[in-house]
Amino acid sequence: MATTYNRLLDSLPSIGHWCSGRESKLFVVVEDWFDRREDVLELQGTYRKSGIQAFFIEPFDRTHSTSQSHFMVLTRMVEESGPETEWFGLLDDDTFYPHLAPLSDALGAFDHTQDMYVGGLAEDFGSIQNFGIMAYGGAGAYLSAALAKKLGTVDQAVQCLQESPPNLGDIIIRDCVYHHSRARMTVLPGFYQHDLLGDLRGFFESGVDPLNLHHWKSWYHAPVVEMATATKFCGNCFLQRWRFGNDTILSNGYSVSVYSEGLDTIDLSKMEHTWGKLYGDQDPRYDYILGSLRDMVSEDRRKTYYLKDTEISGDTMRQLYLRKGDHRSGELDEVVELIWRK
């Protein structure tokens, strides 16, 4: 990653969820290193005490943009890698993995001894039209060991910076791959850039099994750490759906929704389109990533309780889902408490 001290401080809980206690090494170029060196080193110690193998490093060049630093960190990653390292990921600081094992399994299906460039496209076709085919950085760009070692020498990396625009990190990576190797992008289902605005309820309630989440504290807001805590209790169960009776769906870690007209009126095989447009008046297309969509269900036809907290103690997990009432009309808040026991 490449980011600032304050964003790195803010990201400790979310990064800690997926990186703590792992053998993966986390390399971060800290853009304001020269202004906050002592603070940065102290924060590195905090990350390591949290079980994260963190290496916070200064920019390779004071004149580099964040996007350029985001690419140049690959050189340090390659230097510190050993024969056990099979994959290198270039991520944003808000790239979030609900559970790291599915990512390891998905990448493990490919041959890391060959040149491989793996990632996900943006969901909004307007992004593809504007920026092209590439691994979009919020989902992450993943390079096999063979390709990373080819592109991650200092001389080669500097040449790639000279050949690409300085402020588009995803394009720097793509151009370097395309110009200096025979690798082409491999799209891996399950990666999500989340170039989607506003309400992502339809995504989270669709039964999707995401390898990652992105933009969760900017383009939309979701308590991803509390949401994904369920994975520590029941493994790859995040967002798994359960149907109760004829009117209720639990989307594990996100919501409980009760439909007044019953579930038979809803096509649960399609994702509900709840988010807003990214590119103004353009007619957005999402189906090539998200599949066929269905229209949004209005609030007067459903009651939705959203996850607020998750606690695990021994063989028990406790989740609280909250629905805020309309206080102006005297409607009370409602809480669903869900207890899981092994």
Side-chain angles (χ1 to χ4, degrees), residues 181-228:
S181 79
R182 300 188 67 178
R184 293 297 177 262
M185 183 185 175
T186 297
V187 177
L188 181 59
F191 284 133
Y192 292 98
Q193 165 70 4
H194 276 164
D195 277 358
L196 308 170
L197 292 177
D199 184 3
L200 262 69
R201 179 179 59 83
F203 174 86
F204 288 117
E205 292 185 343
S206 67
V208 68
D209 185 14
L211 293 174
N212 76 286
L213 307 173
H214 184 233
H215 282 154
W216 52 272
K217 56 181 178 179
S218 52
W219 296 29
Y220 68 97
H221 291 85
V224 294
V225 175
E226 290 80 5
M227 288 164 56

Side-chain angles (χ1 to χ4, degrees), residues 225-234 250 252-253 306-321 335-342:
V225 175
E226 290 80 5
M227 288 164 56
T229 296
T231 63
K232 300 182 183 297
F233 184 79
C234 50
L250 163 68
N252 186 22
Y306 295 97
L307 183 88
K308 289 299 177 184
D309 188 47
T310 305
E311 296 178 354
I312 297 175
S313 177
D315 289 338
T316 300
M317 178 171 70
R318 174 175 177 265
Q319 294 175 323
L320 289 180
Y321 295 85
V335 174
V336 172
E337 181 180 29
L338 192 60
I339 305 296
W340 302 68
R341 290 194 176 93
K342 290 186 179 179

